[in-house]
Amino acid sequence: DAGVIQSPRHEVTEMGQEVTLRCKPISGHDYLFWYRQTMMRGLELLIYFNNNVPIDDSGMPEDRFSAKMPNASFSTLKIQPSEPRDSAVYFCASRKTGQSYEQYFGPGTRLTVT
Amino acid sequence: SQQGEEDPQALSIQEGENATMNCSYKTSINNLQWYRQNSGRGLVHLILIRSNEREKHSGRLRVTLDTSKKSSSLLITASRAADTASYFCAKNSGAGSYQLTFGKGTKLSVIP
């Protein structure tokens, strides 16, 4: 089975531009998590969904960030407008109800905002 | 605030030696998990230990949990160069939540 798929793998953009990160969870998984990883703050949970419904978005840093999950196989994380401090690696992870608590991570998107 | 703080921040050992990493947390947990992250890659789940367990093994990995001290340790025995990676502990508080709170990790270097 394919693992969690994220695109793009690398994104370089200028400050003020809109950025959209994409994630395809593992088929059959009903939880999807978005994380951000930086050297300073480590790995932070931004938002997570269950059955396509956002459950907790308290980690979303500000209104510039938004996330959607229109169906069970696709989610987006959008930053508009982007700022240099948004530069980080963004990970998507998924898990399946009834299985262990472990999460399966994608390869990440490295975002650089200049 | 960060839960699951690891120490040391970095560890360098020779191949064949054992590597021990520690993790402390602040509030009660349902389970604690360890993940590995190779450079430039996503995290990979290694092992989970529940709050009512004291020790678990998986291959060359041994995890202990001391809930009275709110701490856990990950031991990698007979380390290999391929074990070079960052290791993170992640806390799940349970209560119907599947959220994980990660520490900042221990960067392990195994020298051939």
Side-chain angles (χ1 to χ4, degrees):
Chain A
D1 284 340
V4 175
I5 299 171
Q6 291 187 246
S7 65
R9 293 294 311 278
H10 301 273
E11 176 81 37
V12 180
T13 191
E14 292 185 347
M15 182 174 64
Q17 297 297 307
E18 177 180 296
V19 175
T20 300
L21 311 181
R22 298 172 176 79
C23 174
K24 177 179 169 56
I26 294 172
S27 177
H29 283 199
D30 56 337
Y31 281 83
L32 185 139
F33 304 82
W34 281 102
Y35 292 89
R36 176 173 69 176
Q37 186 178 40
T38 61
M39 289 294 291
M40 288 294 293
R41 300 177 65 86
L43 198 66
E44 304 172 281
L45 176 66
L46 300 177
I47 184 171
Y48 78 96
F49 296 83
N50 178 221
N51 291 323
N52 315 336
V53 176
I55 301 301
D56 187 342
D57 65 354
S58 60
M60 297 285 264
E62 11 184 318
D63 292 345
R64 298 183 298 105
F65 285 69
S66 63
K68 294 183 179 179
M69 192 164 187
N71 57 62
S73 58
F74 184 66
S75 177
T76 60
L77 178 67
K78 186 175 294 187
I79 308 172
Q80 165 64 17
S82 58
E83 297 183 3
R85 60 193 168 121
D86 301 331
S87 296
V89 182
Y90 291 81
F91 288 101
C92 175
S94 68
R95 71 170 294 273
K96 182 176 181 177
T97 295
Q99 290 186 344
S100 174
Y101 282 82
E102 68 182 270
Q103 295 180 14
Y104 296 80
F105 281 74
T109 295
R110 180 173 294 278
L111 173 65
T112 303
V113 183
T114 60
Chain B
S1 63
Q2 289 287 339
Q3 297 279 352
E5 300 297 335
E6 294 91 335
D7 80 270
Q9 290 186 334
L11 179 62
S12 184
I13 61 174
Q14 296 288 328
E15 201 165 30
E17 295 181 338
N18 296 342
T20 300
M21 288 158 271
N22 303 296
C23 169
S24 61
Y25 56 93
K26 297 177 181 177
T27 58
S28 62
I29 60 168
N30 174 277
N31 65 79
L32 188 142
Q33 304 176 35
W34 286 89
Y35 287 77
R36 182 186 73 223
Q37 184 179 31
N38 290 88
S39 180
R41 308 288 291 272
L43 280 74
V44 174
H45 181 265
L46 295 176
I47 194 165
L48 178 154
I49 188 164
R50 299 183 187 277
S51 60
N52 61 353
E53 297 175 314
R54 292 297 167 257
E55 187 171 312
K56 280 191 83 169
H57 296 255
S58 177
R60 294 184 296 112
L61 305 180
R62 173 180 165 239
V63 170
T64 61
L65 179 65
D66 186 334
T67 53
S68 66
K69 295 181 179 178
K70 291 186 168 58
S71 68
S72 173
S73 67
L74 172 68
L75 169 67
I76 304 174
T77 60
S79 63
R80 306 166 181 169
D83 295 328
T84 294
S86 291
Y87 292 82
F88 296 86
C89 70
K91 185 201 82 164
N92 171 256
S93 58
S97 169
Y98 296 99
Q99 290 180 241
L100 294 177
T101 306
F102 287 84
K104 291 191 177 180
T106 293
K107 190 168 186 177
L108 173 66
S109 298
V110 181
I111 303 166

